Structures are given as C-alpha cells and as structure tokens.
Amino acid sequence: GSQWIFGAPNDLLGSQYVLGHEAMKRMQTSNVLVSGLRGLGVEVAKNLVLGGVKSVTLHDPEPASWSDLASQVCPGAPRCAQVPAGVSQVCPRCAQVPPGVPQVPAGDAAAPPPQVVVLTNSPLEEQLWVGDFCHSHGIKLVVADTRGLFGQLFCDFGEDMVVSDANGEQPLSAMVSMVTKGCPGEVTCLDEARHGFESGDFVTFTEVEGMEELNRCGPVEIRVLGAPARGARGKRLRDALAEPELLVTDFGKAERPPVLHRAWQGLHRFLRQHGRAPRPRHQGDAAEVLALTKEVAAGAELDEELVRELAFQATGDLAPVNAFIGGLAAQEVMKAVSGKFTPITQWLYFDALECLPEENRDTLRYDGQIAVFGAELQAKLGAQKYFVVGAGAIGCELLKNFAMVGLGCGPEGSVTVTDMDTIEKSNLNRQFLFRPWDVTKLKSERAAAAAREMNPALRVCSRTDRVGPDTERVYDDDFFEGLDGVANALDNVDARLYMDRRCVYYRKPLLESGTLGTKGNVQVVIPFLSESYSSSQDPPEKAIPICTLKNFPNAIEHTLQWARDEFEGLFKQPAENVNQYLMDPKFLERTLRLAGTQPLEVLEAVQRSLVSDRPRAWPDCVAWACRHWHRQYSNNIRQLLHNFPPGQKTNSGTLFWSGPKRCPHPLVFDPDNPLHLDYVVAAANLFAQSYGIVGSRDRAAVAELLRHVRVPPFAPKAGVRIHVSDQELQSASAALDDGRLEELKASLPSPEELPGFRMFPIDFEKVGAACPAPTPPPPPLGSKLIAGKIIPAIATTTAAVVGLACLELYKLVQGHRRLSSYKNAFLNLALPFVGFSEPLACPRNKYYEVEWTLWDRFEVQGLQPDGREMTLRQFLAYFKKEHRLEITMLSQGVSMLYSFFMPAAKLRERHDQPMTEIVTRVSKKKLGRHVKALVFELCCNDDSDADIEVPYVRYTIR
C-alpha cells in the first residue's frame, strides 16, 4: 500500500518540559513507521505527531469501511492515506493538505528508514517475521492491539537499550557526611537522611574535602546497601511469547495477564485458520478459540470464561480502549527514540470487563461497539446530556471520544462544552482539535466544530462562560437538572471543587481526570455510592522557610522563589502601595493598625519609592539598578558573613556553615560581565516602567552610564540581627519603633504635592535577572517550569487518561450499582505504572436510626398548600414534628438566619417572617428569578438534648 509522511507541529513546549532538551532533539530526528490504521493505529499516530517526532509513515493496504468511522477514517479512501483529524488532514476527501507536509508514495527513496516500527491490527505471523527483522537490524518494535474491552502491548527495544532517565523526576541530591576509602567505597548521608537513590543509579560528587579526586571523576554507578540492583532486557517477540515478562496493571486481576497471554495466541490461531474474527457472541466460535487456547496453554490453568469473553468481543473496536492503549504505545515509542523513561518489560495486558452490563450479558448483539455492548446501550449513549467543563487538552480528548462512541448523538441527547479561553500557538501540540488557523479563536467554539466534523450527528453546543458562583444565573437549576452527567477538564483545584459541589447538590455523576507530564489520574464520582472529589484532597504544597529563602538557599527552587519574591517586592507591591497612598486618605491610618513589623516595612517602601529612590530620568534608573545589584549580591552577603564568619561554630560545637547552610561568596561587579550587565539593563528598564520613564536596551550606552555611577563602599552595620530559623523569626520582638514611624510619616510628600503622579505596576512575572545559586542552574526551560509553576501536558498521557475516563462512562450510562464495578486509575507512563482501585464508598452518618451520606438532604417545600410561604416558626416546628430535631442554629451560606442565643427581640421579629424574606434581609441580596431552591445548614439537638450531625436542607421556593 501507499505511505504518507507528515511533519510535527512547530510548538512543542509541552513535550519539551516533560522530556527535556536532549530527549526532544533525539525525538525530532526520529522516524516512525505505524502499520495498521484502524482506531488504535490512528490514535498512536496522532499522539506521535503531537509529541514531536520528525516523521511518521502510515501504512495499511486495506480500504476503509463504514465501521472505521469510529477511527476517524473516511470511507472510500485507502486507510494509509489518512492522518488523524485535528493534526493534519492528508486525505484529499477530508481536507486540503497543509503547506509543508511532505507526501511520499510507497517505495519512494525519500521515505526515511524508521528507528521504530509500530504494528497494530496485525496477524501473529507478521508480528514474528517483522520482530525478527527489527531485532536483527537494531530497529525497535512496538506491537499493540485492541479487541473490544481487551488490549495488549509488547515492546522490544533490543538488548542494548540505554535509559538516560528512568522516571523523569528532578535529579536527586543529598548531603554527604562521610566517605570511606576503599573499593568499593562507602558513602554515608547527612543525619541518616533518606536519599532516594536506587542501585544502578549514577551519581557525581562535588565539594568533597579530603578526597578531592571524587569531585573530578565522572558519573559513578552505585549500589544501595540492602537494595537489589536493577536490570533490563529486550527479548525478541518469538522468545518473549514462550517466556513472557508481564506488567500487572490491576492487582485485583493479577491472575489474568498469564491467561490473556495464551488467549491472544489462541485468537490468532483462529484468525489464521478462518481468515476472520470470531463472530460476536457466537458460542461455537468461542468454543473453538478456547480449544486453541488450551493447545497453547499445554495443560496450564485457564479462566475459560475470560477466554470466551475475548472471543465474543474480537470484532469490537472501542474508542476509549484505543485511546488508552494508543497513549501507552505512543509513549513507549517516545521512550525508544529518546532514551527517556523506563520501557515496559515486556508485555502489558489490559481488560475493562467491568464495563459490561452487570446483568443479562447474553443479550449483546452486533457491529463495532454494539458487538460489545448491544444496541440498547447505544441508544442510551445517544440520549445522554453531558456537560464538558474545559476545552483544553483533556477537553479535546473527551469531545473526540464522545463523538466516536456516539454520546449525545441521538435526537434527545446533547453535549455542552464551555471554556472562556482563546487558542494559543502553544496549545497546538496537545489540544489536537485545533489547527494553526484557529489561533486567537475561542477554544470551546473551535473544539465543538471539530468534534462535529468527526461525527455530524453529535449535538454539541459551545459556551464561553466561566463556571462558578458568578455564573449561576447561566448554569442554573434548570441547566443542571437537565444533565445526565459532568466531565471535568479543568486545570485548577478551586474550579474542580466548585463543580464537585454542584454535582453533589444536583446528584449528577462526575468524571474527574487530570495529568501532570507522564502522570495522570481518573476519579469517578457516583451519586449515592462513592465519595466525592472534595472528600479527600492532596496535602497543601510545602512552603520554603522564609529564612532559608533570604539567607540560606541551597537548591535552585530556593533561588528561583527568591527571584520571584524580589520582583514582587521591587516593582509590584511598592507600586500598589504608592498608588493607594495617593488615592486613599486613610492609607496611613490603616497601615499603622497592622500588627508586627509590617507597617514599618510598608512605609519604608513607600518612602523609598517617593523620596530616596525616585528617579527623574533614565540615568537615575541605571544608577538605582547598579546600587541594587551591589546591595543584593555583595553588601547583604558581606553583612551575613560579618554576623556569621566562616569557621564560626554553633553551641553544639559544629560549624555554622555546614550541611544545608552553604557559605555564600560576595560578587564583584564587572560591567564587562554579560550576566551583570543583563541584570542592570533588565532591572533599570523595569524600574523605569514603574515610573513611566522611557528606558533603553542599548547595552553599550548602559555600560557607559555605569562608569559614572558612584557606589558607596561597604561598611558592616552594627545591631543587625539575622534570623537563623523561622521559629526565631516568629518569636522575635514585634514592637514598633514609634520614632522611626513618625520620621517616615514626616518625610513622605503629601498627595497634594504630587498632582497627577502615579506608579505603574509591572503586570508580568518575569524579571531579567539571575541570582547566584549554590547549585548549577537548570536550563532556561527548567527555570521557567519551576518559577512559573507550569503543569506540562503531553498527548500520550492525556489520551490514556481520557480513554480510561470514557470506560467509566460506559458504566455510568448503564447505571451500574455495584461500587466494585467502577475503577479509579493512577498512572505514570515514565515508570511505567498503571494502577486501578475501587472508589471509596461515601462515608455514612446516623441520627436516631436514620443513615445518611453526603448525597442525602432534607427536602422541604417552602410553599404551603394555601399558597403562602413557610415562616421561620413553621420551619422550626416542622423539623421538631417530622424529624424530632430541635434546630439550634440555622444559616444560609455565610448568613446566620437563626440561633438560640439571638436577642429575644430579634427572635420575635423573625419568627413570623417568611424564610426568603429573612434570607434577603440578612444577606442584603435579592433572590434571582433563576433560584428555585435555597440551601440551609443546620445545627440540631436530639431528644436527649445532645448535638447531632444532620444533612443540609434543600428549601424549594418555586
């Protein structure tokens, strides 16, 4: 068949953040052949293109059929003439070929030799001879296949595969306390700390005293005492069939991979003998596959029902399974060409049989997805109404999968997607529904249009409203009550928590997923069965101690955070404080009421901005930047060394400058040093912008101005206290120096003396300055990743995660009621690791004999039969009579509506008021016409006058 080659997107920052510069260079010189272009092959190719390989050659001699529509292939065109939708469209019947995309027919000498071959939908005989050829010619091989809810993956990267980075985590470092000479030498870490190294790792040494030769040697392989050494093998496919090494992904199914390894071989024997796959739910074909599998097993124990299920589903082709296995397979290809991350050794088998109906499995019928689940589920999928929150990387994958499985494609169904962001160039390498000509357009609109092109029957609606408390008039009761479920595609925890609360309140299932580089997770929230997303959260990010940042940095993260704080303190906060001082007559009064030493710091900063450091022209800005450089990188360090000179010992007798306290060295300013000059140019321009002064990027002119700047010589200050720990800082005296405060107040010009003056806050978090670091600085992308707290996304992880999420969708649509049928997933494709766990059941509470969970509530109808609304007195009496509960406190949001300790006069006033009137008066907000019900929180006592915990109240008013 013919072949087509297409190029990768230009902007690959997502992949570059995850893989690193060297690995990306290897990726961008690699060529990959993908053979077999049903749904799985197309998914692999799409992920490779987004990942940034140099070229992908697509091969499949079979013509496309209507059943391939789920694989995004246009019927009537050869499969090999397809490139995944959303990446580039090479098929003339689908779209115009983008400029610069080379097209190479089969046999053309221009077709590059591949470094990796990917086989999908391939017979075992073809796999074997291709495997032998690749193994003997140093070509790496990936074999992947899916059959219904089953998938398999095999990797052979040869016996000489070198992995330069096993897990993609930041390189480990540890403080060494002692090195014992000998062969082998023994290294002890400081304070017996857990160093995190493993046998087989390579390390380098720096600053070792007494054995300086260690500082000059290259990376040394280590063995961790008591830990086994690691190894890796790359057996060819023929050998790996007989002696498989199996990666277990679901420890609840640990016994299945050996059975599936033989069952797939039995299936291949059936395919060879009959030239077709077993017919869906055909007992005779399934029995023959079982008999062939028993021949392969040669007496080994088999789960016969599992083998039959593989035969029943052999004609099935499910987009979510293709997405999951395709994401994993593409990541293995990227490992093969880049040497980054640990390859699979060597077989992975996957099944998601929990997606099948919990009852009446024998009613399943034919064709594609219907061959696995039956026509009834297909009709249910078409009638679903789903809400996709976010149209980024995960959102695009969700819409693609929804279009492929037919979600919301029936006359009663719909999919609504919302995202307020516009498309940027950097989105193109992972948000594959977007094209270069979509840049600057709204994400939700273009994503909906692209998904509709994949499946014209998809009833998709796009919105651009942020989901949150301020848009509850848009996403109101009618909107949420009309949904069947929600799929989150969000990038922040606050929005996730809000959507989780909405889903709990409206009792809607939630598909929650997220990625971080090669890591990903899926959580499914099932009404009345599982806990919610909010029930358990990650611990807060550990903050860097202030004293470590200011005086004792020992890691690149410390110096980068120091630079961020420096930027805020120099440009952003002073500008905000000065503008408030000029516009707010009570600024000084409010500032002086602040606790601790903050008022002094704020007023000193304002005084510097308006008096001592205020520039009049560009040369003043250059002089300020030069003096500031000396203060930060020379004078402050000299003061620190004056307080704590080298060689000084602590009370315990140990050296003060030891361990994590690294002795700093003051710098000497040199205008001919490019780094020093860069700092002055950048800082001076930022300073000038703050005052509305025109700056300059002329380095020669700045260097000339620097020759006329006078910098006072350093003289150590007496009485300066430098805190060694945050505890010492907190316990320091917080007394204010009233004399100094009065002096500052007197030196400040009044706002009337500065007509029209204002400062301009710098609204971007970037300062072109570098601070001296005790550790080697990371490459620019690494600095940007750390300083910007960027969460990188890559297509492989996104595809795998969304594939797993959509497998949970099958269960939700069918209405599975056994919690054990559902799976939360956790994966790290770098290791590689895929793990599944049963969702946690929702915690159960009890009052009297009534059990309740977070999904339960009291339903109270506010309007009485006579048309009048319930009063507070009636509300309290209702709970006393119907639930034997005495309400002691009642609130709505942050508004306290009733409490037993309220003044008697206020209670008499409120007792006979309608509930909505009380809410409006206390909150001082009118209830919108979109509000159909109010939420009340209760504190109650039972018959014994004991406090008890009870559900909230949904009080219906319309």
Side-chain angles (χ1 to χ4, degrees):
S2 62
Q3 306 171 61
W4 298 84
I5 303 171
F6 52 96
N10 293 325
D11 198 312
L12 297 164
L13 283 180
S15 298
Q16 202 156 349
Y17 281 136
V18 177
L19 297 177
H21 183 64
E22 291 302 318
M24 276 305 300
K25 281 171 54 179
R26 290 191 286 271
M27 285 270 293
Q28 291 173 330
T29 59
S30 61
N31 307 303
V32 182
L33 168 64
V34 179
S35 179
L37 294 178
R38 296 189 69 193
L40 179 59
V42 170
E43 187 71 33
V44 173
K46 177 261 291 180
N47 292 331
L48 290 175
V49 169
L50 296 176
V53 297
K54 178 184 178 183
S55 70
V56 179
T57 303
L58 304 183
H59 168 262
D60 192 326
E62 296 294 324
S65 64
W66 284 103
S67 63
D68 288 323
L69 277 177
S71 307
Q72 305 156 249
V73 179
C74 178
R79 285 199 188 122
C80 49
Q82 301 298 311
V83 174
V87 180
S88 342
Q89 291 284 7
V90 177
C91 174
R93 297 185 56 177
C94 295
Q96 182 180 2
V97 179
V101 175
Q103 305 175 41
V104 183
D108 194 302
Q115 283 79 48
V116 186
V117 171
V118 182
L119 296 180
T120 71
N121 192 35
S122 174
L124 182 59
E125 294 72 25
E126 181 179 272
Q127 295 174 17
L128 289 171
W129 75 257
V130 172
D132 288 342
F133 179 86
C134 290
H135 197 88
S136 61
H137 287 76
I139 300 173
K140 297 173 176 63
L141 174 70
V142 174
V143 177
D145 206 353
T146 61
R147 298 279 176 171
L149 291 167
F150 294 87
Q152 72 166 178
L153 183 60
F154 170 79
C155 299
D156 175 13
F157 296 167
E159 299 173 359
D160 299 324
M161 174 68 185
V162 175
V163 176
S164 59
D165 182 354
N167 55 28
E169 301 295 337
Q170 287 293 323
L172 298 171
S173 63
M175 298 287 184
V176 172
S177 63
M178 183 173 64
V179 181
T180 304
K181 290 187 177 181
C183 187
E186 187 172 311
V187 179
T188 304
C189 288
L190 183 69
D191 299 328
E192 301 296 328
R194 299 180 66 90
H195 49 69
F197 296 120
E198 299 179 24
S199 293
D201 286 347
F202 285 79
V203 303
T204 58
F205 294 88
T206 58
E207 302 180 36
V208 176
E209 297 179 1
M211 293 179 64
E212 285 75 9
E213 59 271 19
L214 280 178
N215 301 327
R216 297 188 294 272
C217 69
V220 179
E221 185 174 1
I222 65 168
R223 179 172 65 87
V224 178
L225 296 180
R230 296 177 300 172
R233 291 186 292 168
K235 292 189 295 188
R236 70 180 68 208
L237 177 60
R238 193 178 302 276
D239 301 325
L241 283 172
E243 298 180 24
E245 294 183 60
L246 305 171
L247 176 66
V248 177
T249 61
D250 191 337
F251 293 100
K253 306 174 183 176
E255 75 287 348
R256 289 190 182 177
V259 177
L260 290 173
H261 182 71
R262 299 179 176 95
W264 278 86
Q265 294 180 59
L267 176 61
H268 278 293
R269 291 191 179 191
F270 183 96
L271 293 168
R272 183 175 68 250
Q273 292 179 11
H274 295 274
R276 61 170 176 83
R279 288 163 286 187
R281 295 283 145 186
H282 193 280
Q283 296 293 341
D285 286 357
E288 187 174 347
V289 171
L290 177 59
L292 293 170
T293 302
K294 288 180 176 179
E295 292 179 11
V296 175
E301 186 177 348
L302 289 176
D303 180 343
E304 295 187 2
E305 193 59 36
L306 184 64
V307 178
R308 288 193 186 93
E309 198 61 63
L310 176 62
F312 288 158
Q313 299 187 29
T315 58
D317 190 20
L318 301 179
V321 180
N322 289 335
F324 174 63
I325 297 296
L328 267 62
Q331 188 66 58
E332 294 305 304
V333 173
M334 294 163 70
K335 294 175 186 178
V337 298
S338 69
K340 184 92 170 183
F341 308 139
T342 304
I344 288 176
T345 309
Q346 276 185 279
W347 288 97
L348 177 145
Y349 288 96
F350 170 79
D351 75 82
L353 294 183
E354 304 83 10
C355 296
L356 292 172
E358 292 177 329
E359 307 292 342
N360 303 320
R361 291 190 181 184
D362 291 337
T363 61
L364 300 179
R365 290 172 21 202
Y366 307 97
D367 254 357
Q369 191 164 260
I370 296 177
V372 179
F373 294 108
E376 184 179 351
L377 175 61
Q378 196 61 46
K380 288 182 178 179
L381 285 167
Q384 291 289 298
K385 296 181 177 66
Y386 253 75
F387 185 29
V388 179
V389 189
I394 290 177
C396 286
E397 283 288 339
L398 282 168
L399 289 175
K400 180 261 290 183
N401 278 275
F402 287 175
M404 295 301 99
V405 305
L407 187 82
C409 293
E412 299 177 357
S414 66
V415 173
T416 302
V417 57
T418 188
D419 197 310
M420 62 181 296
D421 288 342
T422 55
I423 301 165
E424 299 177 7
K425 184 181 178 183
S426 61
N427 298 146
L428 301 179
N429 73 84
R430 57 193 181 277
Q431 300 173 20
F432 77 104
L433 292 183
F434 306 139
R435 311 294 177 82
W437 48 84
D438 291 328
V439 172
T440 72
K441 297 178 182 177
L442 289 166
K443 284 185 177 181
S444 58
E445 292 181 0
R446 297 311 306 151
R452 199 179 296 112
E453 288 179 7
M454 292 180 179
N455 187 349
L458 180 65
R459 299 166 62 87
V460 59
C461 168
S462 63
R463 292 192 175 186
T464 58
D465 309 288
R466 184 197 301 274
V467 177
D470 55 338
T471 56
E472 289 181 1
R473 291 179 178 273
V474 177
Y475 304 109
D476 55 12
D477 291 345
D478 291 335
F479 175 82
F480 273 100
E481 288 170 358
L483 295 176
D484 292 297
V486 175
N488 272 352
L490 294 162
D491 60 359
N492 68 88
V493 172
D494 290 341
R496 287 184 166 103
L497 292 172
Y498 175 80
M499 285 308 303
D500 180 66
R501 292 194 297 270
R502 295 281 86 189
C503 288
V504 170
Y505 177 72
Y506 293 105
R507 295 166 170 175
K508 302 299 180 183
L510 172 66
L511 290 172
E512 172 61 57
S513 53
T515 67
L516 173 61
T518 59
K519 302 171 186 175
N521 72 282
V522 175
Q523 181 180 357
V524 56
V525 177
I526 313 106
F528 301 103
L529 284 183
S530 76
E531 67 175 15
S532 71
Y533 173 81
S534 307
S535 300
S536 58
Q537 297 182 42
D538 293 333
E541 185 178 349
K542 188 176 180 181
I544 303 171
I546 296 174
C547 288
T548 299
L549 279 180
K550 293 182 69 174
N551 301 317
F552 311 111
N554 57 72
I556 193 63
E557 290 81 5
H558 300 163
T559 53
L560 287 171
Q561 184 60 47
W562 181 91
R564 288 173 62 93
D565 295 345
E566 170 81 349
F567 169 75
E568 295 277 343
L570 283 177
F571 305 109
K572 190 174 181 180
Q573 292 168 355
E576 292 173 354
N577 288 334
V578 167
N579 290 337
Q580 283 189 44
Y581 169 71
L582 295 174
M583 294 183 292
D584 184 357
K586 295 186 177 181
F587 174 77
L588 286 179
E589 177 185 335
R590 287 188 295 100
T591 301
L592 293 176
R593 286 204 300 263
L594 295 174
T597 59
Q598 191 176 359
L600 193 58
E601 294 174 0
V602 171
L603 293 189
E604 284 179 339
V606 172
Q607 194 271 348
R608 285 195 300 269
S609 298
L610 292 178
V611 182
S612 59
D613 289 349
R614 183 180 173 184
R616 305 295 175 179
W618 170 241
D620 297 335
C621 298
V622 174
W624 172 88
C626 180
R627 287 192 291 267
H628 186 77
W629 188 100
H630 282 81
R631 181 163 57 249
Q632 293 297 75
Y633 302 123
S634 181
N635 296 353
N636 287 353
I637 297 174
R638 292 174 188 269
Q639 182 70 50
L640 184 63
L641 295 177
H642 173 76
N643 285 45
F644 303 105
Q648 177 175 316
K649 293 186 177 182
T650 64
N651 293 335
S652 61
T654 60
L655 287 172
F656 179 85
W657 294 109
S658 62
K661 292 185 177 68
R662 318 299 299 279
C663 186
H665 304 284
L667 300 182
V668 176
F669 185 76
D670 180 5
D672 295 326
N673 185 317
L675 187 62
H676 297 183
L677 188 59
D678 284 344
Y679 182 99
V680 171
V681 170
N685 274 280
L686 289 172
F687 195 62
Q689 287 180 43
S690 297
Y691 289 89
I693 295 173
V694 178
S696 170
R697 295 286 176 180
D698 187 334
R699 295 166 59 85
V702 171
E704 181 60 31
L705 288 173
L706 285 172
R707 303 185 192 283
H708 303 285
V709 175
R710 191 185 70 84
V711 178
F714 169 75
K717 298 178 182 178
V720 175
R721 185 175 180 183
I722 296 175
H723 302 291
V724 176
S725 67
D726 281 9
Q727 291 80 4
E728 183 180 315
L729 178 64
Q730 291 170 3
S731 62
S733 173
L736 293 177
D737 184 342
D738 294 334
R740 175 63 176 154
L741 283 173
E742 291 302 319
E743 178 187 338
L744 287 170
K745 288 172 59 179
S747 67
L748 288 175
S750 67
E752 291 76 16
E753 297 177 63
L754 301 166
F757 176 77
R758 64 182 291 257
M759 289 185 70
F760 301 88
I762 308 299
D763 59 359
F764 53 90
E765 294 190 352
K766 181 181 179 182
V767 57
C771 51
T775 56
L781 279 177
S783 298
K784 187 176 181 181
L785 186 66
I786 297 170
K789 297 184 179 179
I790 295 170
I791 299 177
I794 55 175
T796 50
T797 311
T798 305
V801 161
V802 174
L804 294 175
C806 289
L807 290 176
E808 299 307 304
L809 174 71
Y810 286 138
K811 306 168 191 177
L812 292 172
V813 172
Q814 293 175 86
H816 284 13
R817 298 310 302 162
R818 288 200 289 266
L819 194 61
S820 58
S821 296
Y822 293 92
K823 297 287 184 183
N824 289 341
F826 311 88
L827 56 86
N828 185 341
L829 302 186
L831 293 179
F833 170 80
V834 181
F836 298 93
S837 66
E838 181 181 314
L840 293 177
C842 46
R844 296 191 171 276
N845 304 287
K846 195 173 185 179
Y847 69 93
Y848 296 128
E849 299 304 316
V850 180
E851 276 197 348
W852 62 277
T853 71
L854 61 94
W855 298 98
D856 295 303
R857 63 194 179 206
F858 295 113
E859 295 282 358
V860 178
Q861 183 63 45
L863 292 180
Q864 303 298 293
D866 60 1
R868 297 182 179 179
E869 190 193 342
M870 184 180 286
T871 64
L872 175 60
R873 187 189 305 276
Q874 292 171 323
F875 186 88
L876 299 176
Y878 170 83
F879 274 87
K880 188 70 173 176
K881 177 183 178 182
E882 297 296 329
H883 301 288
R884 297 163 48 205
L885 296 173
E886 181 181 356
I887 298 176
T888 57
M889 282 193 290
L890 172 67
S891 62
Q892 193 260 337
V894 296
S895 301
M896 179 65 70
L897 308 181
Y898 163 81
S899 68
F900 70 93
F901 52 78
M902 274 183 173
K906 184 174 289 189
L907 287 177
R908 285 194 300 271
E909 177 188 350
R910 291 189 181 180
H911 264 141
D912 295 317
Q913 289 179 348
M915 297 296 292
T916 54
E917 184 178 332
I918 297 174
V919 169
T920 302
R921 287 190 176 186
V922 174
S923 66
K924 299 180 181 179
K925 294 179 181 178
K926 291 184 178 181
L927 297 178
R929 298 182 62 83
H930 65 285
V931 178
K932 296 171 62 176
L934 298 174
V935 173
F936 296 144
E937 288 84 27
L938 307 177
C939 290
C940 297
N941 289 345
D942 61 11
D943 290 338
S944 64
D945 209 29
D947 291 341
I948 55 174
E949 193 173 353
V950 297
Y952 69 92
V953 177
R954 185 175 187 269
Y955 180 81
T956 305
I957 58 177
R958 292 189 178 89

